[in-house]
Amino acid sequence: MYKLVRNDWNLALHEFSHKLIQLLGDNLVTIIGLEEDSSVYDSNVLVVVKALDDEVRRLIAKSALEVNDKHECTISYYIAKNSDKNVIELFSNVQGKVREDCEEAFREFHDKVGHHVSDMVFIGDRYIYDSNTLIIVDKLTEDVKRLIAKSALEVNDKHECTISYYIATPSDEGLINEFKKIRETIK
């Protein structure tokens, strides 16, 4: 049996993003969330807006405080305007290197196990229940478990990004929907 362990950083980042989407509307351009232990300008999240004023600063600060009070991690944000190309590029480059490696790792992993599973949901450098890959199998057998574990170990030995998987069956609809929801927010 598999034990579910929530990854608080990804939950916090998702909640923070959701709050900002609702509060800032069309003024919000993008949110770049780094790994929890990565930072640029002592910040692990970049919030890019079209227009920046005291009310926008207040809404972002309030959202970060609410999320940080709820989770056992800290969102340390940096606000930039859409015209601050250097700051956006700096954050993007940190995140881009991690994403590229994760995407390459997933492609290799998918090549190894894809024909043995019914579906896979990859969420890159984000994690749900300490997993960034949901593997959906029609029937969970010991042979399938071994193949998936062996393939993950082989791929993880070659990449900085770690394929951390969770195996589910089609009846695990709630879990599947949760992975798909996170995947949609990072596209």
Side-chain angles (χ1 to χ4, degrees):
M1 195 68 194
Y2 296 93
K3 181 179 179 183
L4 295 178
V5 180
R6 290 191 179 269
N7 180 305
D8 216 34
W9 171 245
N10 291 309
L11 293 172
L13 188 57
H14 178 71
E15 185 177 331
F16 181 65
S17 299
H18 183 72
K19 284 179 177 288
L20 294 184
I21 289 167
Q22 290 184 332
L23 291 170
L24 300 178
D26 290 340
N27 191 30
L28 180 65
V29 175
T30 193
I31 299 167
I32 300 175
L34 305 178
E35 291 296 315
E36 183 178 12
D37 55 353
S38 296
S39 67
V40 174
Y41 302 135
D42 293 327
S43 301
N44 51 20
V45 178
L46 175 66
V47 179
V48 181
V49 294
K50 292 176 186 172
L52 182 59
D53 59 22
D54 288 341
E55 179 63 10
V56 169
R57 285 185 184 92
R58 187 189 70 72
L59 291 171
I60 294 170
K62 181 178 185 243
S63 297
L65 288 171
E66 288 172 358
V67 170
N68 289 343
D69 282 345
K70 185 175 176 184
H71 296 277
E72 293 181 17
C73 55
T74 302
I75 288 183
S76 175
Y77 63 89
Y78 189 92
I79 306 171
K81 291 191 337 189
N82 200 24
S83 59
D84 296 331
K85 301 296 183 199
N86 290 338
V87 172
I88 297 168
E89 184 177 331
L90 193 57
F91 274 84
S92 296
N93 285 340
V94 169
Q95 193 64 12
K97 290 177 186 171
V98 172
R99 270 214 177 104
E100 286 173 20
D101 186 59
C102 283
E103 289 169 4
E104 179 61 29
F106 177 72
R107 277 192 292 278
E108 287 183 32
F109 184 64
H110 188 274
D111 288 346
K112 290 178 179 289
V113 302
H115 56 284
H116 295 283
V117 304
S118 57
D119 197 8
M120 295 174 75
V121 180
F122 179 63
I123 54 175
D125 57 342
R126 308 265 175 107
Y127 294 84
I128 299 174
Y129 306 122
D130 289 338
S131 302
N132 62 2
T133 306
L134 178 65
I135 301 168
I136 305 162
V137 297
D138 291 327
K139 185 176 179 186
L140 186 56
T141 65
E142 289 303 315
D143 287 341
V144 169
K145 287 181 193 177
R146 271 194 290 280
L147 172 71
I148 292 169
K150 180 179 183 259
S151 299
L153 289 171
E154 290 171 359
V155 169
N156 291 343
D157 281 345
K158 293 171 55 178
H159 293 275
E160 292 292 319
C161 180
T162 300
I163 296 294
S164 176
Y165 61 88
Y166 189 90
I167 303 174
T169 60
S171 64
D172 297 318
E173 290 179 31
L175 181 64
I176 294 167
N177 289 336
E178 190 172 355
F179 267 83
K180 287 181 177 180
K181 183 178 177 182
I182 294 294
R183 181 180 62 188
E184 292 302 313
T185 65
I186 60 175
K187 283 187 175 182

